[in-house]
Amino acid sequence: MEKIKNIVFLIFLCSCKISSGTNLFDPNSPVSLGLLLLGSDKVIQMDFSSNKVQPGGILYISTNHDFSSNSNGFSLPISDEGINPIKQVITRSKFLYEVRMNPSITNGKFTFNLKDYYINEALIVNPETFQFEIDANPPLLQLKTGNGIDISELQSGFLDIEANEDIVWEGNLSQVSLSGNAKNSLVVSDVIVSNRNIRLLFAGNPNANGGILSISLEGVKDKASNTQGTLMVPVQVFAFKSGPNMNLPRRSCGGMELDDGRKIVLGGRARSGVVINGNGTLSSMEYYDSVTKEFTFGPDMVYRRQEFSIVKLLDGRVLVSGGFGAKVGVGPNDSLSSIEIFDPVTNTWIEGPSLHTPRQLHKMTVLPDGNVLVVGGLNPFPAFQTVSEVELIHVTPNPADMTVEYIGNLAESRAKQAQIMSTNTGKVIITGGERSDITGPASTDYYARAIDSIELYDIQTKTLSTSSAKVVRRFNHFMHPTLNGEILILGGISSRFDDNQPILRAQIYNPSADTIRDHKNLLFGREWGTSFVFPYGKDQIMIAGGLEYRTVNGNTFDSILDTESWSESSQHFYLTGRSLNARWDGCDLPYTSTGGGMILGGRIGAIVANTEEYSFE
């Protein structure tokens, strides 16, 4: 049997030549298969974005192996003694690394000796060595929209790759190759080349789960006809994929990524019939491990709460306030004024001071000095009435020393508003929301409506003022900052009653000029949805899930499966992929480190425990 193995291996090895300095290795090739037949350890494929880099430039390396499980992590040993051109290696994901070069090293050739290092790790690496050159002006290629895209952009048929200078390239299909776990059956069907742009036209299907797509282009030359060899453009292909179930089904919950990389989901309302601590409102917290893809219970909050507000403090702790619930083991639910803080170092919840006014469905904003502004909300008893009081939580290392300061009243009380910190102006921007006024003594005696006002909190003077600009009347909407300091306002609905209509019109508010202008229309008007910012280098926002009211009188609604994105560079909304479930009233957990995130629980008919992840891993 051993003789047969060796013969198979020699046949496969002779059939494939691996050149050094490039990465033509395919982990599904006969060579890889032969090594596996011999019982060898895993073959590690590395793709280098270029064999030439500028002083202080960036080299990308994508791999098919998760180095976080290695004893020494990811390393790039250099065989040239006394020379280290690497300034910093940044882990962008388990499979993508950004290598920043030392700007003080302006020329020369350097070699990564990967074989000697990784043989000690019991790994077989291709290439075994990799030589690169410091070049003051190499041709560099990058994806036009940044290195992160939605899977629908591959399915739509083409991608544009831009060069930093004029290039000379024949554009033959044989000079383009695709690799990486996002490839699947995707192939390049045609190439259109101009002086500084390469448009690749695709056929086939990418991996539905997304991943890394490495686009390698051979024979690219600069304007002096100096050959660049093989250039690789790493593309992070984002897609929705099914995540594990939480231990408990929940809606109206909260999610947060901690500074140490852990992800948590907490609170909310359990599925009908589920009673924990004597109530269906939850105090539980769960950790999500993105490596093992499992949820495990963490420490319970001091209070059970739903429809609360959650923020991450500047020191990495998590602060929650208000909501609907009660202290664990005590009495029926009511609107809460309590504050509690989670310390990720000690993994404990500690109760802090109370707000002056109980509230739920309110908003909090962390200010540059670390304090937390609390705005609006709803008090449900005896009838639904919105809160006008604005309060400031003075954050200290010891929760027992924290205090709450009354700031003043909003001109219009509101809940379900959107608010965001404008660093350019030093103001918190508070837009729209739902106002509810009591009309009588019964629990149903209230009048609710969407409002159009914008109010501003000045962090220097600690004063409130009303903007002269108006938003389209909306609540349960989104706001996102743009690269130039403006604010995109989108989504939401106009009413809770039969006259409700979805708000398709997006708007852009300029906080410096205190002006607002109409923008493009969303493809779907939605509320109770989720929005994610794309990864670094990307100017897009993903909007997913939620409800759309489809009838003329607004009393019938559908949950939304289709997702859409907004591009700041092209200033328009466009249809992207689809989420796996049409859900609403769940909670979202944005990944601040890599972009994308998770959608957890919510309602798909009943309250559910399932999750889905929007990422490239």
Side-chain angles (χ1 to χ4, degrees), residues 506-551:
Q507 296 175 284
I508 293 179
Y509 175 69
N510 185 322
S512 298
D514 190 28
T515 57
I516 197 165
R517 64 183 185 274
D518 282 349
H519 189 48
K520 306 294 177 60
N521 275 7
L522 283 163
L523 305 176
F524 298 91
R526 64 181 88 206
E527 66 147 348
W528 294 118
T530 294
S531 62
F532 294 124
V533 176
F534 262 88
Y536 68 101
K538 190 76 174 177
D539 68 343
Q540 292 183 328
I541 296 165
M542 156 70 70
I543 309 108
L547 295 178
E548 182 179 35
Y549 292 78
R550 300 178 183 275
T551 57

Side-chain angles (χ1 to χ4, degrees), residues 132-148:
F132 68 93
E133 179 181 352
I134 302 292
D135 184 347
N137 192 33
L140 301 175
L141 301 181
Q142 64 178 357
L143 205 64
K144 184 175 182 180
T145 54
N147 67 340

Side-chain angles (χ1 to χ4, degrees), residues 338-353:
S338 63
I339 295 169
E340 51 187 304
I341 297 91
F342 175 68
D343 188 333
V345 176
T346 61
N347 291 319
T348 55
W349 287 96
I350 301 174
E351 189 171 0

Side-chain angles (χ1 to χ4, degrees), residues 64-279:
N64 64 341
H65 179 70
D66 176 12
F67 283 95
S68 64
S69 60
N70 281 31
S71 58
N72 294 318
F74 180 75
S75 297
L76 293 170
I78 296 172
S79 60
D80 308 272
E81 292 185 7
I83 299 174
N84 187 2
I86 297 177
K87 178 181 180 182
Q88 185 181 16
V89 178
I90 301 174
T91 303
R92 289 301 183 188
S93 81
K94 292 184 294 186
F95 306 111
L96 184 67
Y97 298 86
E98 179 180 307
V99 182
R100 297 188 176 182
M101 314 309 292
N102 191 334
S104 64
I105 299 180
T106 57
N107 58 69
K109 294 183 178 181
F110 310 96
T111 303
F112 294 134
N113 185 358
L114 303 172
K115 177 182 178 181
D116 292 345
Y117 175 79
Y118 286 108
I119 201 72
N120 296 328
E121 295 287 314
L123 298 172
I124 298 173
V125 182
N126 183 78
E128 293 182 343
T129 61
F130 182 84
Q131 186 180 76
F132 68 93
E133 179 181 352
I134 302 292
D135 184 347
N137 192 33
L140 301 175
L141 301 181
Q142 64 178 357
L143 205 64
K144 184 175 182 180
T145 54
N147 67 340
I149 63 170
D150 184 79
I151 192 170
S152 63
E153 295 179 71
L154 288 179
Q155 294 168 333
S156 65
F158 72 89
L159 289 179
D160 282 331
I161 298 174
E162 289 187 323
N164 63 320
E165 60 174 298
D166 288 353
I167 57 173
V168 179
W169 190 55
E170 294 87 347
N172 295 326
L173 285 176
S174 60
Q175 296 175 296
V176 185
S177 60
L178 305 178
S179 60
N181 59 347
K183 179 179 180 295
N184 197 13
S185 64
L186 197 70
V187 295
V188 177
S189 60
D190 201 359
V191 181
I192 303 172
V193 184
S194 61
N195 288 345
R196 295 199 180 189
N197 192 82
I198 300 170
R199 172 166 287 189
L200 303 178
L201 280 70
F202 293 102
N205 293 303
N207 184 341
N209 288 328
I212 297 291
L213 178 70
S214 297
I215 305 173
S216 299
L217 303 102
E218 295 180 16
V220 178
K221 300 178 181 180
D222 64 17
K223 56 189 175 184
S225 292
N226 297 315
T227 183
Q228 175 68 6
T230 301
L231 285 169
M232 188 272 288
V233 179
V235 182
Q236 300 171 2
V237 184
F238 280 66
F240 280 104
K241 62 202 72 179
S242 181
N245 279 0
M246 297 179 289
N247 289 289
L248 289 172
R250 57 181 87 211
R251 66 164 177 87
S252 303
C253 44
M256 187 66 66
E257 182 181 53
L258 305 177
D259 287 349
D260 60 14
R262 289 182 297 171
K263 301 166 179 65
I264 60 173
V265 56
L266 59 152
R269 176 75 186 181
R271 185 163 47 209
S272 178
V274 175
V275 176
I276 298 173
N277 294 325
N279 200 281

Side-chain angles (χ1 to χ4, degrees), residues 256-566:
M256 187 66 66
E257 182 181 53
L258 305 177
D259 287 349
D260 60 14
R262 289 182 297 171
K263 301 166 179 65
I264 60 173
V265 56
L266 59 152
R269 176 75 186 181
R271 185 163 47 209
S272 178
V274 175
V275 176
I276 298 173
N277 294 325
N279 200 281
T281 301
L282 301 173
S283 61
S284 69
M285 183 179 83
E286 300 184 45
Y287 293 113
Y288 172 61
D289 188 321
S290 55
V291 176
T292 63
K293 304 296 183 183
E294 292 178 333
F295 283 94
T296 56
F297 280 118
D300 277 10
M301 292 185 288
V302 179
Y303 287 76
R304 58 177 186 257
R305 56 181 90 221
Q306 64 187 76
E307 298 174 346
F308 56 97
S309 186
I310 176 173
V311 292
K312 184 167 67 175
L313 302 175
L314 298 186
D315 60 10
R317 292 179 295 167
V318 175
L319 184 149
V320 299
S321 74
F324 183 66
K327 190 169 258 189
V328 172
V330 177
N333 287 346
D334 202 343
S335 194
L336 297 174
S337 59
S338 63
I339 295 169
E340 51 187 304
I341 297 91
F342 175 68
D343 188 333
V345 176
T346 61
N347 291 319
T348 55
W349 287 96
I350 301 174
E351 189 171 0
S354 291
L355 300 171
H356 298 125
T357 304
R359 60 186 86 205
Q360 63 194 77
L361 297 170
H362 56 296
K363 293 292 190 297
M364 296 193 296
T365 300
V366 179
L367 305 181
D369 63 2
N371 293 330
V372 178
L373 189 72
V374 184
V375 180
L378 191 70
N379 193 327
F381 298 110
F384 286 99
Q385 183 173 21
T386 43
V387 175
S388 62
E389 289 86 352
V390 175
E391 305 183 62
L392 185 66
I393 304 171
H394 292 275
V395 174
T396 61
N398 183 358
D401 297 331
M402 291 185 182
T403 58
V404 179
E405 178 185 1
Y406 168 73
I407 293 298
N409 286 359
L410 295 168
E412 286 194 274
S413 64
R414 65 190 76 205
K416 309 171 193 173
Q417 76 274 15
Q419 65 188 54
I420 196 170
M421 179 70 212
S422 166
T423 54
N424 289 358
T425 62
K427 294 179 180 179
V428 177
I429 316 300
I430 306 156
T431 68
E434 182 182 51
R435 177 170 177 173
S436 177
D437 295 315
I438 292 177
T439 59
S443 61
T444 56
D445 290 340
Y446 66 94
Y447 173 64
R449 63 199 180 280
I451 56 178
D452 60 7
S453 62
I454 300 175
E455 300 197 48
L456 313 170
Y457 172 74
D458 190 311
I459 64 173
Q460 295 298 324
T461 63
K462 296 169 70 171
T463 56
L464 294 160
S465 61
T466 301
S467 167
S468 59
K470 301 284 188 183
V471 294
V472 175
R473 295 180 185 273
R474 63 179 88 208
F475 60 91
N476 280 338
H477 54 292
F478 307 106
M479 290 206 301
H480 286 280
T482 63
L483 297 176
N484 64 2
E486 293 185 318
I487 296 169
L488 176 70
I489 304 167
L490 65 152
I493 59 171
S494 63
S495 172
R496 185 60 61 207
F497 302 103
D498 286 352
D499 61 348
N500 170 56
Q501 292 296 315
I503 307 300
L504 293 173
R505 175 66 67 185
Q507 296 175 284
I508 293 179
Y509 175 69
N510 185 322
S512 298
D514 190 28
T515 57
I516 197 165
R517 64 183 185 274
D518 282 349
H519 189 48
K520 306 294 177 60
N521 275 7
L522 283 163
L523 305 176
F524 298 91
R526 64 181 88 206
E527 66 147 348
W528 294 118
T530 294
S531 62
F532 294 124
V533 176
F534 262 88
Y536 68 101
K538 190 76 174 177
D539 68 343
Q540 292 183 328
I541 296 165
M542 156 70 70
I543 309 108
L547 295 178
E548 182 179 35
Y549 292 78
R550 300 178 183 275
T551 57
V552 174
N553 63 5
N555 60 8
T556 301
F557 57 83
D558 291 324
S559 49
I560 304 171
L561 198 61
D562 294 288
T563 66
E564 57 189 297
S565 289
W566 178 78

